[in-house]
């Protein structure tokens, strides 16, 4: 006893909850148990997984069973209708019938029934996974939660079986919940996602850009502005046609920001005089937007290119740059 107590109290250096959960499981099972039982106990602490199945319970199975008037829902509780009317022999009979249905289904469909939850994890090699998580700074690229709080997964933005590439540009780090929400959608929705990103407008100049593309990733491209404000003025645009900044999806914003970082390095290497940038979107005619395919201006600045640069983008209202 004292050795184990000493270990738990003083020696056990924890990088997760695994050690105490495993010891506790062994203690609860007479000192010996199989790895599956230990794994199940660890799982019972993983709220991100539980949250996922709570979502399934409420939105899928609970919904169906309520519609069929099998169960009632009261806040967080589900109640089997007419449970009180069941006799003590009927209950085990019904449990056995459920077991029969579960086993029948598993036998028919095999491991495939969990495939939707494995798909991405399997497809992404470890080194790529590391790069994606590093690029995302260890946070979910949709909700921003850190990997310490929720397990992060590497996800195809455009699903592979809908034409999405196996390139780092088509990956994003998503927490378990954000990814689960995406996975809850069926195949039709996934198809819609890739169709959505393919949207182009025939008469739009940026959908049909004839200029040389100087940088590109899965969802965005960059080219030089035809009427540059300064030398090497670049426009970064989503490949999908949309009117302005507010119509961008989070993966598109991420893609455009990533391209900006690449372009910053590229332009600064090409032109050592570049010592700053103005970066911005015009949204709406009254704000000066003239091309209604969303675009981000990346305007290189050089020392002395205007007499008084103070205020930068504040100068779009003349005289308001210098506020002091
Ligand atoms: P906005 O005023 O809508 O924010 O910016 C539109 C930008 O598109 C302007 O900076 C303008 O110079 C640029 N532009 C307009 N037509 C073309 C074009 O045909 N090709 C390129 N590369 N840029 C264009
Ligand atoms: Zn367009």
């Amino acid at each position: 006893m004292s050795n184990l107590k000493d270990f738990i109290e003083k020696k056990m250096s924890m990088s997760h909850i695994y050690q105490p959960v495993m010891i506790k499981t062994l203690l609860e099972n007479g000192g010996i148990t199989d790895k599956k039982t230990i794994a199940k106990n660890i799982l019972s602490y993983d709220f991100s997984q539980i949250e996922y199945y709570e979502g399934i319970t409420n939105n899928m199975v609970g919904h169906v069973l309520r519609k069929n008037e099998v169960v009632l829902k009261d806040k967080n509780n589900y109640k089997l209708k007419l449970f009180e009317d069941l006799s003590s022999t009927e209950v085990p009979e019904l449990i056995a019938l459920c077991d029969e249905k579960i086993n029948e289904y598993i036998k028919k469909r095999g491991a495939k029934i969990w495939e939707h939850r494995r798909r991405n994890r399997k497809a992404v090699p470890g080194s790529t996974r590391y790069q994606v998580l590093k690029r995302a700074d260890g946070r979910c690229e949709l909700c921003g939660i850190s990997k310490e709080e929720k397990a992060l997964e590497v996800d195809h933005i455009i699903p592979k079986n809908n034409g999405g590439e196996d390139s780092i540009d088509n990956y994003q780090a998503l927490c378990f919940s954000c990814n689960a929400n995406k996975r809850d959608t069926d195949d039709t929705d996934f198809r819609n996602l890739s169709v959505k990103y393919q949207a182009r407008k025939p008469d739009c100049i940026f959908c049909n850009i004839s200029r040389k593309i100087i940088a590109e990733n899965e969802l965005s491209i960059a080219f030089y502005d035809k009427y540059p404000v300064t030398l090497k003025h670049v426009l970064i645009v989503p490949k999908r046609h949309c009117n302005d900044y507010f119509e961008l999806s989070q993966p598109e914003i991420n893609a455009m920001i990533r391209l900006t970082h690449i372009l910053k390095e590229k332009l600064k290497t090409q032109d050592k005089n570049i010592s700053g940038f103005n970066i911005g979107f015009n949204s709406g005619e009254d704000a000066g937007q003239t091309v209604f395919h969303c675009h981000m201006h990346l305007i290189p600045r050089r020392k002395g290119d205007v007499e008084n640069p103070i205020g930068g983008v504040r100068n779009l209202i003349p005289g308001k740059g210098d506020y002091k």
Side-chain angles (χ1 to χ4, degrees), residues 100-113:
E100 204 180 293
K101 287 281 177 188
I102 294 167
N103 292 332
E104 214 175 82
Y105 192 87
I106 292 175
K107 202 170 159 206
K108 202 169 102 200
R109 308 281 288 269
K112 258 198 190 142
I113 60 172

Side-chain angles (χ1 to χ4, degrees), residues 205-206 209-211 223-229 233 235 280-284 287-293 295 297:
I205 49 167
F206 289 174
I209 195 73
S210 53
R211 294 227 137 196
F223 45 84
Y224 287 117
D225 194 295
K226 194 173 171 184
Y227 312 98
V229 171
H233 174 179
L235 298 175
F281 291 88
N282 296 327
S283 172
Q289 188 175 359
T290 57
V291 176
F292 289 85
H293 177 127
H295 53 276
H297 294 264

